[in-house]
Amino acid sequence: MASEAQKKKLRRGLDLAYWIIPDEETAWKTVTLAAEAIQNFTKRQDERSWYRGFWEKKGVRVNPTKPFLCDDQPFQVCVLEKIEPFELTQEAAGIRLTDEDFAVRYVKFLVRTAYKANAFHALIGLGKLVFSYSTRNLIDLNKIIDPLNETKKEEPHYRGKKKKLMATLQERFGTRLEIRKREHSELTFRLMEQPELVREAVKGSLGRFTLWNSFCFNCGPSLSLSSASHANSNKNPGSPKLPSQNTQAAPPGAALSENSRCHLIINPECFMKLTNHTGLQSPWERMAIPAFAQTNDHPPGGETKGDRWNPPHWDEAKIDLTLDELRRKADQRKQVEPVLLSVQLDGKVLHRINFDQARQLSFCVPETAGLLEIRDEKTGLLLVSHLLAEWNTAGEPDAFVFRFKGRRVIRLKVLFLEALDPAELGQYSVDIGFKRLAVWEWWAGLVTLPAWFDLRLAVAATALCFLSTVFGLYWLWSGVPQADPIARKTGPVQPPTPVTPPTTSQQGQPPPQIEPKATMPTQNSEPLTGITRSAQGQAGGLATVKKVMVEAQGFQSDRIKAVLAEALTSTGPVTVTDEDSLADALVEAQYQDKTGSASIRLRLINSQGKVLWSKTERIFLPPSEENISQAVQNLTLRLGSAIKRVQPHRNNPELRVPERPKP
């Protein structure tokens, strides 16, 4: 039986979808797809929320820069994602849409982009592209909203983010938006002549698109902006303190919540209080919604008949059937054994793969992408769902594991690659792995570790126990008296034979002289200068190399081979040749590409296949020709230095390492 909380969440999602597209059938389809996608998405977000609370309980202050979606908030964001294909279908079909419809979709797109990034995107999107505040006004507002990170952002950063958002909007709405230049060559959209006609629609959209069950400094259940300003008074003593209706104490770390910042900017009432306190003009007097161009050829009967201001009463029996269908799909997902899969992005199929034949799938998608899904081709079930967001930009991808029947595992890694220019669009790097685990690997993955378990401490404790065991065994072994190995092999040592002094013979001739036997160097003999046993082995390998061949493998192999040959020729110790019969060794360069990094490995291999020297150099991303050439030159210099160090052993006969006699 469905709980009342689940029914309430579904009704709230239906109202939200009906506000964007006032059509009952579209609202039901959108909510059903969003509820199905959220069954895997919610667990991942709960893990993020637990990680934050875990450190806060230890007294570590956490200042997240990305929204933490929890409770019903992931479902709300999924509704905003799932309804966009229906919007594009309507616009492509030529259905008559009003300025109010386009204004709602315009604001929805900006808010959805902010939830995927952070509150700073919300401030730029709404403050610049909805309310037309100046850059200086936004800087003053951001000093109150996020005083800890404001010092890192200058005016060019604001303008670059605005240009980036305008590019995403133009990609979404196409030729319906017209870009014009204002004073100081600033780009903007052609604005609507009477924006007050859509003022109430924009205000209603912002109120409905605000994160559910969120609060801010003005309207929070236990947080006020005055308390947040007081918490940051050491960083910004002159920051204003806004009056608040609630004066209770703020919870630890709540003043820095990214959800609170998003709420303060998106919620219309809270944002108007913020602008009034800072002395700025009311946002509704500075509203600047772009004008959307529409085609004249509309199909008959294509108008939307619903009224977004008066949503219908949703059928309770249909809600129960929808929840029962979701539970049935969840149970069926546990029993499915995936074979034929389709990878979809925002409802469009990108790849079709066979689980038994594929091992890994890697691709990149633009920053404007929304929801990534993997479905079973046979049953149509949704197996994997992931909302693409800029939560991780530290160089380490978000990794998730999905387990299915037959010990089949799908591993998903997603990394957001931010562009160097703030005005340019970034992209997501997606890696999907397919593997059938062994029995012991499958059962090991099903073990659930307790919340207090720390993997780093466990590894450190295991290493300490291992070292203690090794030290104890060595101490016990060294304490036992050992027999002399020479005596054990040759028996007891015989006493030396006395030596008689030499005498003259009867003929008066001295006895024949006995030549002394050659002896090995003793402990008092002088060792070889500047050479050790390890250096002798290295010199014996590298000192014999005079002519080399050059080979390159992987990305830009021709370029790498040319740079390597030129660098080896300039270093001097060896000569590059193209004939295999004349070469003493092979210099092999291999380009290695991993997730989020690239490198070049250089090896020196003799004619017997033994690796005499090997080093790896990391390439700075992106892997341009300049970066690859620099890495190859660095490796060549290191190889030349290694060969030059053993040059004296090859040129000086006294220090030359003797070759091992052939059997």
Side-chain angles (χ1 to χ4, degrees):
M1 191 66 182
S3 63
E4 187 61 31
Q6 293 176 332
K7 294 181 180 180
K8 181 180 179 181
K9 181 176 71 172
L10 231 60
R11 285 192 293 267
R12 201 171 182 180
L14 290 168
D15 291 339
L16 179 61
Y18 192 82
W19 171 263
I20 301 173
I21 299 180
D23 181 71
E24 292 189 32
E25 183 179 358
T26 303
W28 279 108
K29 291 181 180 179
T30 302
V31 169
T32 303
L33 293 175
E36 184 182 4
I38 212 62
Q39 290 178 340
N40 292 326
F41 176 72
T42 306
K43 181 179 179 181
R44 295 196 295 270
Q45 284 299 308
D46 289 342
E47 291 174 356
R48 295 179 182 274
S49 303
W50 175 87
Y51 175 80
R52 181 187 176 194
F54 173 78
W55 287 108
E56 285 183 350
K57 291 179 181 178
K58 292 189 173 184
V60 180
R61 190 173 186 179
V62 181
N63 182 26
T65 58
K66 307 296 177 184
F68 283 89
L69 304 181
C70 56
D71 299 332
D72 296 341
Q73 295 170 358
F75 175 69
Q76 178 190 8
V77 176
C78 274
V79 171
L80 301 181
E81 290 284 350
K82 283 295 184 180
I83 202 171
E84 187 159 324
F86 297 101
E87 299 175 11
L88 298 176
T89 302
Q90 279 191 349
E91 296 169 9
I95 295 179
R96 186 183 301 276
L97 299 173
T98 62
D99 291 339
E100 183 179 281
D101 295 330
F102 279 111
V104 170
R105 300 180 183 189
Y106 177 79
V107 173
K108 188 267 300 181
F109 186 85
L110 290 175
V111 172
R112 190 203 70 173
T113 305
Y115 290 151
K116 291 175 57 179
N118 49 29
F120 182 72
H121 282 70
L123 181 64
I124 298 296
L126 300 183
K128 277 284 189 182
L129 302 177
V130 175
F131 297 125
S132 71
Y133 283 104
S134 64
T135 304
R136 179 51 55 185
N137 296 148
L138 297 185
I139 291 177
D140 296 338
L141 291 174
N142 203 25
K143 288 181 180 178
I144 302 177
I145 299 172
D146 192 8
L148 298 181
N149 297 322
E150 170 55 28
T151 56
K152 305 177 183 178
K153 302 180 179 67
E154 302 294 339
E155 290 191 14
H157 189 77
Y158 283 76
R159 298 191 186 98
K161 289 296 182 182
K162 177 191 174 183
K163 185 178 179 181
K164 178 179 177 180
L165 285 175
M166 291 181 65
T168 58
L169 286 167
Q170 199 168 22
E171 183 179 352
R172 161 62 180 86
F173 293 99
T175 57
R176 296 180 183 273
L177 292 177
E178 181 182 349
I179 295 181
R180 294 182 175 181
K181 282 188 177 181
R182 295 175 57 184
E183 55 182 3
H184 306 295
S185 301
E186 185 178 0
L187 299 178
T188 184
F189 295 120
R190 183 174 66 88
L191 301 180
M192 193 180 297
E193 297 180 357
Q194 295 179 335
E196 61 273 3
L197 299 179
V198 296
R199 178 183 301 170
E200 295 301 324
V202 172
K203 186 182 296 186
S205 299
L206 292 175
R208 288 170 173 82
F209 298 155
T210 305
L211 282 177
W212 294 344
N213 305 326
S214 63
F215 55 87
C216 74
F217 308 132
N218 286 323
C219 60
S222 60
L223 183 64
S224 62
L225 182 58
S226 58
S227 61
S229 301
H230 178 70
N232 300 321
S233 59
N234 296 332
K235 293 288 182 181
N236 189 8
S239 60
K241 301 179 181 180
L242 299 189
S244 174
Q245 301 175 355
N246 197 316
T247 58
Q248 298 181 12
L256 299 176
S257 171
E258 191 70 10
N259 291 18
S260 300
R261 299 188 190 109
C262 291
H263 181 107
L264 180 62
I265 298 170
I266 298 174
N267 188 276
E269 297 180 359
C270 299
F271 187 69
M272 189 169 64
K273 291 180 183 180
L274 179 63
T275 55
N276 292 341
H277 179 78
T278 52
L280 299 180
Q281 193 176 2
S282 173
W284 310 115
E285 298 177 3
R286 300 188 61 93
M287 192 170 64
I289 300 296
F292 292 87
Q294 301 192 43
T295 58
N296 297 325
D297 51 341
H298 299 289
E303 297 81 0
T304 55
K305 301 180 181 179
D307 182 11
R308 60 172 45 92
W309 297 98
N310 297 306
H313 179 73
W314 307 108
D315 188 4
E316 294 293 333
K318 194 171 183 179
I319 291 178
D320 292 336
L321 290 177
T322 302
L323 293 175
D324 293 341
E325 180 68 15
L326 291 175
R327 283 192 293 269
R328 185 188 65 81
K329 288 184 177 181
D331 297 337
Q332 189 177 359
R333 191 179 297 110
K334 298 177 182 179
Q335 303 299 327
V336 69
E337 186 172 352
V339 179
L340 299 178
L341 304 174
S342 63
V343 181
Q344 303 180 7
L345 182 66
D346 295 333
K348 299 180 181 179
V349 178
L350 295 181
H351 302 278
R352 285 187 171 91
I353 52 180
N354 191 320
F355 190 99
D356 297 329
Q357 299 177 359
R359 287 295 175 265
Q360 188 173 5
L361 178 64
S362 301
F363 56 92
C364 292
V365 296
E367 181 182 347
T368 55
L371 198 63
L372 179 68
E373 298 176 336
I374 301 178
R375 291 184 176 271
D376 183 56
E377 285 282 315
K378 183 178 180 180
T379 60
L381 286 175
L382 178 62
L383 304 180
V384 176
S385 62
H386 181 73
L387 181 65
L388 298 173
E390 305 172 22
W391 285 319
N392 196 330
T393 56
E396 293 295 333
D398 285 331
F400 310 102
V401 179
F402 302 86
R403 300 176 180 272
F404 301 97
K405 187 179 178 181
R407 304 194 306 274
R408 297 174 181 262
V409 172
I410 298 178
R411 303 180 187 273
L412 176 64
K413 292 184 179 181
V414 180
L415 176 63
F416 176 69
L417 305 175
E418 190 172 4
L420 298 179
D421 187 358
E424 299 293 334
L425 294 177
Q427 60 182 358
Y428 296 97
S429 174
V430 181
D431 291 330
I432 306 176
F434 309 92
K435 185 178 180 181
R436 183 184 178 93
L437 298 180
V439 177
W440 67 270
E441 292 178 324
W442 175 262
W443 287 107
L446 296 179
V447 176
T448 303
L449 299 176
W452 50 265
F453 182 80
D454 193 338
L455 181 60
R456 292 173 297 181
L457 294 178
V459 172
T462 304
L464 183 60
C465 293
F466 176 76
L467 293 177
S468 302
T469 304
V470 172
F471 178 77
L473 293 176
Y474 175 76
W475 180 79
L476 292 175
W477 178 81
S478 61
V480 178
Q482 301 291 333
D484 188 1
I486 300 179
R488 188 167 56 248
K489 291 182 180 180
T490 62
V493 180
Q494 300 295 332
T497 304
V499 181
T500 59
T503 59
T504 59
S505 61
Q506 296 178 358
Q507 290 80 7
Q509 296 179 357
Q513 300 292 331
I514 300 176
E515 294 291 337
K517 294 183 179 180
T519 59
M520 294 297 292
T522 60
Q523 296 181 354
N524 298 328
S525 61
E526 184 178 0
L528 293 176
T529 305
I531 185 168
T532 60
R533 182 172 300 178
S534 59
Q536 290 178 12
Q538 183 182 15
L542 296 179
T544 59
V545 178
K546 298 180 181 180
K547 294 183 180 182
V548 295
M549 285 186 62
V550 176
E551 286 189 3
Q553 300 178 3
F555 179 69
Q556 292 191 0
S557 58
D558 296 336
R559 171 68 178 175
I560 294 175
K561 183 176 180 180
V563 174
L564 181 59
E566 182 181 357
L568 285 173
T569 304
S570 61
T571 53
V574 295
T575 305
V576 179
T577 180
D578 295 332
E579 298 182 12
D580 188 11
S581 58
L582 300 179
D584 301 324
L586 172 68
V587 179
E588 180 188 66
Q590 184 177 7
Y591 179 88
Q592 298 176 341
D593 187 10
K594 298 181 179 180
T595 303
S597 64
S599 61
I600 291 182
R601 184 179 66 178
L602 193 66
R603 298 193 302 172
L604 181 65
I605 307 173
N606 63 5
S607 57
Q608 287 77 26
K610 181 180 179 181
V611 178
L612 304 179
W613 183 90
S614 177
K615 294 292 180 183
T616 304
E617 181 81 7
R618 188 173 181 179
I619 301 175
F620 293 99
L621 296 180
S624 61
E625 293 185 359
E626 181 180 357
N627 295 340
I628 293 175
S629 301
Q630 184 64 36
V632 173
Q633 292 175 2
N634 294 341
L635 288 171
T636 309
L637 290 176
R638 297 171 69 178
L639 175 59
S641 300
I643 297 178
K644 288 179 180 179
R645 282 197 299 267
V646 300
Q647 283 284 357
H649 308 298
R650 184 175 64 183
N651 300 331
N652 193 343
E654 297 180 357
L655 300 180
R656 183 178 301 171
V657 178
E659 297 183 358
R660 180 177 298 178
K662 297 182 180 180

